[in-house]
């Protein structure tokens, strides 16, 4: 597997490349957004992208918008912007995780390995291959979600994981901590905002595809559930 590192700071690219190679992965490098898209389109072996936000020609936000049109590749976003709103914006745009600069390369690699595990095993529960919940058809093996009339809903790996978790346990309420630990496969650390952003984005996609159907319910002060009757 190859990991694409995208940053206009060549020192950062070289530093991360050393750590990535030490973990046994191959590295592809890009120094601006346009080059990153070219690399993704011509290297099918790329399984994850580490993406800086502030870059010339095309910034990371524009890159991820283009990538998410037809790909659910895991994306770890890098940024010198450290506010909660900056992180939330990055997640809304489609990033799977977010690390602020300056960073510890060991933390970056830990997050990379976690994202790759999630991409391979988003859902491990023993559930049917196909779930039907309200207007949705959820296909576990292909990680696809369609409406009952066949419209495909493009979800990120994390969004699919959240939806599949809730749909696999109808009427059960999962707290933000529960969702974070099961889907992100990490101990929950300030997880409530992160989960809230992903659930909100997931709801928007579902409602847009189903003419406003509210599949995921919020139980205020407790968590989230998919309700069946």
């Amino acid at each position: 597997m190859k990991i694409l590192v995208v940053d206009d700071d060549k020192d950062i690219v070289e530093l991360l490349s050393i750590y990535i190679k030490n973990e046994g992965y191959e590295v592809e490098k890009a120094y601006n957004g346009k080059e990153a898209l070219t690399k993704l389109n011509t290297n099918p072996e790329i399984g994850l992208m580490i993406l800086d936000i502030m870059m010339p020609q095309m910034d990371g936000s524009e890159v991820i918008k283009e990538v998410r049109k037809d790909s659910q590749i895991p994306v770890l976003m890098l940024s010198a912007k450290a506010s909660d709103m900056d992180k939330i914006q990055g997640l809304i745009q489609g990033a799977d995780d977010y690390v602020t600069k300056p960073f510890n390369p060991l933390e970056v690699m830990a997050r990379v390995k976690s994202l790759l595990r999630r991409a391979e095993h988003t859902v491990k529960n023993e559930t049917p291959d196909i779930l039907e919940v309200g207007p949705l058809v959820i296909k576990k093996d292909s990680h696809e979600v369609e409406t009952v009339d066949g419209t495909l809903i493009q979800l990120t790996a994390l969004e699919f994981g959240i939806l599949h978790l809730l749909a696999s346990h109808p009427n059960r309420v999962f707290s933000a901590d529960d969702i974070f630990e099961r889907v992100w496969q990490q101990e929950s650390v300030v997880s409530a905002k992160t989960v809230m952003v992903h659930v909100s984005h997931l709801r928007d996609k579902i409602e847009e595809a189903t003419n406003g159907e509210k599949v995921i319910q919020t139980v205020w002060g407790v968590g989230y559930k998919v309700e069946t009757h």
Side-chain angles (χ1 to χ4, degrees), residues 143-156:
H143 282 206
E144 292 180 338
V145 178
E146 298 176 349
T147 62
V148 289
D149 62 3
T151 301
L152 185 66
I153 304 175
Q154 291 285 351
L155 301 181
T156 67

